[in-house]
Amino acid sequence: MTNIAFIGLGHMGHPMVCNLLKAGFKVSVFDVTSSAIQSLVAVGAIGASSVKEAVKEADVVITMLQTGQQVKSVCLGETGFFAHVKPNILYIDSSSIEITTTRELHALAEKNKMAMIDAPVSGGVLGAEAATLTFMVGGTLENFAQGKPILEKMGKKIVHAGVAGSGQAAKICNNLILGISMIAVSEGFALGKKLGLDPKKFFDISSNSSGQCWSMTSYCPVPGLVEKAPSNQEFKPGFMAKMMLKDLRLGQLAAESVGAAIPLGAEAAELYNLFVNQGNGEMDFSGIIKMFF
Amino acid sequence: MTNIAFIGLGHMGHPMVCNLLKAGFKVSVFDVTSSAIQSLVAVGAIGASSVKEAVKEADVVITMLQTGQQVKSVCLGETGFFAHVKPNILYIDSSSIEITTTRELHALAEKNKMAMIDAPVSGGVLGAEAATLTFMVGGTLENFAQGKPILEKMGKKIVHAGVAGSGQAAKICNNLILGISMIAVSEGFALGKKLGLDPKKFFDISSNSSGQCWSMTSYCPVPGLVEKAPSNQEFKPGFMAKMMLKDLRLGQLAAESVGAAIPLGAEAAELYNLFVNQGNGEMDFSGIIKMFF
Amino acid sequence: MTNIAFIGLGHMGHPMVCNLLKAGFKVSVFDVTSSAIQSLVAVGAIGASSVKEAVKEADVVITMLQTGQQVKSVCLGETGFFAHVKPNILYIDSSSIEITTTRELHALAEKNKMAMIDAPVSGGVLGAEAATLTFMVGGTLENFAQGKPILEKMGKKIVHAGVAGSGQAAKICNNLILGISMIAVSEGFALGKKLGLDPKKFFDISSNSSGQCWSMTSYCPVPGLVEKAPSNQEFKPGFMAKMMLKDLRLGQLAAESVGAAIPLGAEAAELYNLFVNQGNGEMDFSGIIKMFF
Amino acid sequence: MTNIAFIGLGHMGHPMVCNLLKAGFKVSVFDVTSSAIQSLVAVGAIGASSVKEAVKEADVVITMLQTGQQVKSVCLGETGFFAHVKPNILYIDSSSIEITTTRELHALAEKNKMAMIDAPVSGGVLGAEAATLTFMVGGTLENFAQGKPILEKMGKKIVHAGVAGSGQAAKICNNLILGISMIAVSEGFALGKKLGLDPKKFFDISSNSSGQCWSMTSYCPVPGLVEKAPSNQEFKPGFMAKMMLKDLRLGQLAAESVGAAIPLGAEAAELYNLFVNQGNGEMDFSGIIKMFF
């Protein structure tokens, strides 16, 4: 039986561990917040008092953290798990972090004879709870194959994006397009309304035309047009504006690292920054339409 | 039998007249370029030597011009047709022009006891030739009903967008979203490539995820991914960059007229302006991806 | 003695008329708001009940209005003064309006054998009251020479910017740079503060270095650094944010009319639009720094 | 006598060392490019074969490098000089690097009982040669006082910007304003020209008005207006576009580190990125005006 160590038990990590437990895995868990550990122990996880203790028996280590800095501190140095795991384990990092950090970790993992994949997710808290996340995976095909059966317990779509770091790259580029599109749709509907267009009519026209995009047809920021969209629940997330800002910032860092110009991506990041600084960070990211009404 | 007068015989007007002729209408045509008249006379149209002459017998007048200024000069003043048509005709303006001008014309048409609809199109030259254009129509339901059978000879989708001016509004807002999306997709794929992502893999991931949009899945600016996209024919248009710039400028004018802020729309317009100023105006608008590679 | 007709008696027009009266001119005044007329009659102006009546005896007509549309309606048509003035008068338009409209009026004035100059101002209400306005003048040198003695009664600096329309062009291009600079200074000081820089120290450094600009050294948006800046009086204008927005919009229209790309100008306009839409239109334009703190 | 070790002998480092030698200091030099060492040995410096050897006798260590990563590798680890210097030396970092890295080094220097100041420069290669650089210094007043006499041999203005990291912060914020201003001036003059304004006339007007800024009056991107500006020498730098891009990127990183929104700064960075990607990185940064003509 596979022993899993899971580090990072927040809004995403918690339901992901629950799904692994349901699938019958033995899961040892750690987080800096001890109550997060306790609530998973209550449903069958094994609590650990440190990263080191959590990974002791692990065949697979999964991290789900906020920042590259956090991931590095969990992996490296004296208290990091790279120094304390069994040989030949698989390491899955599902955090969304800078590509440069991911690549650095892949290199160190290889040196330590660990198999590693970067596997950031999309789908949010709801996807994590329903085990319908999408995992975008970077790493060798062999490592991908090894991780896939585990990821399938937490998600619905497990896609191989390419070599080490490609999972992060795919997520960053997708969310760059997403963040820009959401603002585009918001500008379009707000302008239309001010011009006297009925939003429903414009939706019918544009969603069947060249303006169509996921932000419009699956997640419309105007209430009343797409049933399950957060706009119908006062922008309760969903995917928080501050998380979109984080991903757009990762996009800028990635662009800087390779000299790519992303003028609309940069502006979208700044608009989300203004929106978050006005106290809206915890609102769903589609709430940015409020800036334009 | 319905007599139609058609003013404006350019890349779009020419094939539209051909389709009306095929449908059996009697079409009287005028353009400032006399060769444009001759080539339609050769296929059955009736040439006119002035706007006034063209509309003499008309039950329906259709204009397909470049600018609001041109439309006004064809409609108004001593040489304009408003002063010379039979009573109670239907006037269809299929030009893409400023909303303020459209509304002004609607008001004057009503005063002249003409029925008017604004009916700008999407679908480009190919759509005009194949009679598969989309017409976005503004005006009363009664006027819409009167125009629909005629528009159906030139297009596939005839949608009522709302009151006078709503056809222009819908097109402008749709193309605002389109122009931004195309740049978003271009930035995303260019960044992905520089990060080492395989474009085909990224396409498979993003087109099934939240980055999906028409610009990606029906018109991908990266060659080899969407069969009929202009990117596969060296960006032969299609929909020219300079026409996209024109529509984004109409978007800015519309936004200014109602005090709407469209930060990404404004930036998209400027990027298309830089692209056009570098000599790329006649390239398909998806060619803007070249700015980012 | 020179008879002056002055049309448009708002915040700017009122003190300008007062200065003309002080200088001994006979000034006939008109405005759509009759109380604006009365308050000037009380200090010696001659009230008129229409544009036509105001210009009856005039040697010089001055307009100071909000929009090009207003200027056109005061000049043209049956009620416009072009049809009712004595021959060979001088027409001075001090409104800030679109270049295309200015040029249209210059052409019509010439046809009417009137001398015309466009002479928009900078300096705001305070400058109008103190007769320290700057007038940027477009028109022939002859017409400039004719207008200068009159403008000198209302302003301190009267500069010839070039041929017809150049006054508008100069003001638009100057305020384009000004609007962008003010946001640049705001971003720089806000970022500096968040990084722990003392604003006074940063001011001393940057104002003596390559970041120096009028927005910083004469009008600093951070309170306590430049004595007379509106930031020291809770952003009481000065020059209202909505007027800066208007000028940036004129910049966009001008850019569109000649195919110029102004990416930062466009973005500055959108940021001022967001700021004004949040209810800050009457605040001094330097108040935009509040968006960044 | 003070022994100085100088690491980093590029376009800036070379003339800075020359000025220290002229002032009578004993200077030990190192660079990864050995020819850079040799050319300074030829004028009196002591060549070293490693960082370690260079700092052996040093009372003061100065670094002038390209990136934070380079500075860290020169300072830290087994080959870094922190491990090999005499006690109580003064460390001056004149590189322009990320604030986070600067602060990290300050903390480590303090732990190592070294005095440290961050002292990035403005003034470019010409300023380095003429010993007229401006040094913006971060660190305690005591450390600033210790470094000042040395910096005065290489520069004309030595300003204390505040606590550790403030030198970097001041430079970043100043250059943020500078980069935006240069584009603002470029847009303004390009638009003016297209509108028919004479550049000399517009310069006279705007430089005496609210558009005035250093980018216009000391470094005008339009040739023929400011004598010593690089625009008069075909944009030979001066301050290269790629260095401006670097500083704007440092601005973005700094903004991200404190959650500051800098929408025009971000867009300016992207425009410089497009400009550099078109092969103009080594042109003076004022050359960006070419994008707008």
Side-chain angles (χ1 to χ4, degrees), chain C:
Chain C
M1 192 177 124
T2 307
N3 287 333
I4 297 178
F6 201 110
I7 322 282
L9 311 172
H11 292 306
M12 295 296 291
H14 180 95
M16 290 166 80
V17 170
C18 290
N19 286 319
L20 291 172
L21 291 169
K22 272 182 220 158
F25 290 107
K26 195 169 147 196
V27 189
S28 174
V29 298
F30 180 72
D31 193 282
V32 289
T33 307
S34 60
S35 61
I37 301 174
Q38 292 322 311
S39 70
L40 281 165
V41 168
V43 294
I46 302 155
S49 61
S50 67
V51 168
K52 183 176 168 179
E53 189 189 324
V55 302
K56 207 168 37 182
E57 307 287 333
D59 307 300
V60 175
V61 179
I62 304 176
T63 48
M64 188 61 179
L65 298 155
Q66 296 280 328
T67 67
Q69 202 51 49
Q70 288 173 4
V71 177
K72 279 169 88 167
S73 82
V74 162
C75 291
L76 309 178
E78 286 185 22
T79 58
F81 76 84
F82 277 24
H84 301 291
V85 279
K86 296 194 299 187
N88 302 315
I89 66 139
L90 171 67
Y91 171 38
I92 302 173
D93 180 29
S94 282
S95 321
S96 289
I97 61 171
E98 315 85 79
I99 286 201
T100 46
T101 301
T102 292
R103 289 187 173 151
E104 195 183 331
L105 292 171
H106 271 277
L108 291 168
E110 199 181 346
K111 228 165 118 179
N112 271 23
K113 301 196 189 305
M114 297 158 56
M116 174 174 170
I117 52 178
D118 52 295
V121 303
S122 75
V125 173
L126 295 180
E129 289 169 351
T132 57
L133 293 170
T134 293
F135 286 88
M136 289 161 267
V137 183
T140 64
L141 276 171
E142 195 187 341
N143 294 350
F144 172 69
Q146 200 183 337
K148 201 176 173 198
I150 295 160
L151 298 177
E152 282 171 341
K153 302 299 184 266
M154 300 181 283
K156 203 168 60 178
K157 226 171 358 174
I158 321 296
V159 290
H160 185 239
V163 298
S166 298
Q168 298 294 348
K171 179 170 180 190
I172 282 170
C173 292
N174 181 76
N175 282 15
L176 174 74
I177 298 173
L178 172 61
I180 299 173
S181 299
M182 182 52 81
I183 299 177
V185 171
S186 298
E187 292 186 9
F189 274 81
L191 174 57
K193 186 130 192 237
K194 291 183 181 194
L195 291 171
L197 273 182
D198 175 52
K200 177 75 177 76
K201 275 229 167 116
F202 180 58
F203 180 85
D204 291 342
I205 292 170
S206 195
S207 65
N208 285 297
S209 179
S210 52
Q212 185 279 332
C213 56
W214 186 93
S215 293
M216 184 195 292
T217 47
S218 298
Y219 211 88
C220 194
V222 177
L225 298 174
V226 172
E227 196 188 338
K228 292 186 179 171
S231 56
N232 294 317
Q233 299 177 37
E234 292 175 350
F235 299 103
K236 193 177 150 247
F239 182 50
M240 288 185 196
K242 69 180 181 186
M243 298 311 286
M244 174 49 84
L245 175 56
K246 178 193 164 189
D247 286 355
L248 291 169
R249 290 293 182 213
L250 290 175
Q252 285 186 290
L253 287 171
E256 286 161 27
S257 74
V258 292
I262 48 165
L264 291 194
E267 208 55 35
E270 298 303 326
L271 290 167
Y272 270 105
N273 205 341
L274 287 170
F275 186 66
V276 167
N277 285 356
Q278 285 166 2
N280 304 305
E282 317 252 314
M283 195 184 289
D284 185 74
F285 84 111
S286 60
I288 200 159
I289 197 170
K290 290 174 173 238
M291 279 184 94
F292 304 111
F293 268 111

Side-chain angles (χ1 to χ4, degrees), chain A residues 123-126 178-179 182-183 186 214-215 218-223 226 228-245 271-272 275-276 279-291:
Chain A
V125 173
L126 295 178
L178 172 61
M182 182 53 80
I183 299 177
S186 298
W214 186 93
S215 293
S218 298
Y219 210 89
C220 194
V222 177
V226 171
K228 291 185 181 172
S231 56
N232 294 315
Q233 300 177 36
E234 293 174 349
F235 299 103
K236 192 175 150 249
F239 181 49
M240 288 184 196
K242 70 180 180 186
M243 299 310 285
M244 173 49 84
L245 175 57
L271 291 167
Y272 269 105
F275 186 66
V276 166
N280 303 305
E282 317 252 313
M283 195 185 288
D284 186 74
F285 83 110
S286 60
I288 200 158
I289 197 170
K290 290 172 172 237
M291 279 185 94

Side-chain angles (χ1 to χ4, degrees), chain B residues 101-221:
Chain B
T101 302
T102 292
R103 290 186 172 151
E104 194 183 332
L105 292 171
H106 271 278
L108 291 168
E110 200 181 345
K111 228 166 120 182
N112 271 25
K113 299 196 189 307
M114 297 159 54
M116 174 173 170
I117 52 179
D118 52 295
V121 303
S122 75
V125 173
L126 295 179
E129 288 169 352
T132 57
L133 293 169
T134 294
F135 286 89
M136 289 161 267
V137 183
T140 65
L141 276 171
E142 195 186 343
N143 294 351
F144 172 69
Q146 199 184 337
K148 202 178 174 200
I150 294 159
L151 298 177
E152 282 170 342
K153 303 299 185 263
M154 300 180 285
K156 204 167 62 177
K157 225 168 2 172
I158 322 296
V159 289
H160 186 239
V163 297
S166 298
Q168 298 295 349
K171 180 169 178 192
I172 282 170
C173 292
N174 182 75
N175 282 15
L176 173 74
I177 298 172
L178 172 61
I180 299 172
S181 298
M182 183 52 82
I183 299 177
V185 170
S186 297
E187 291 185 11
F189 274 82
L191 174 57
K193 187 129 191 240
K194 292 183 180 192
L195 292 171
L197 273 183
D198 176 52
K200 177 77 177 73
K201 275 231 168 113
F202 179 58
F203 180 85
D204 290 344
I205 291 170
S206 195
S207 65
N208 285 297
S209 179
S210 52
Q212 185 278 331
C213 56
W214 185 92
S215 293
M216 183 194 291
T217 49
S218 297
Y219 211 87
C220 194

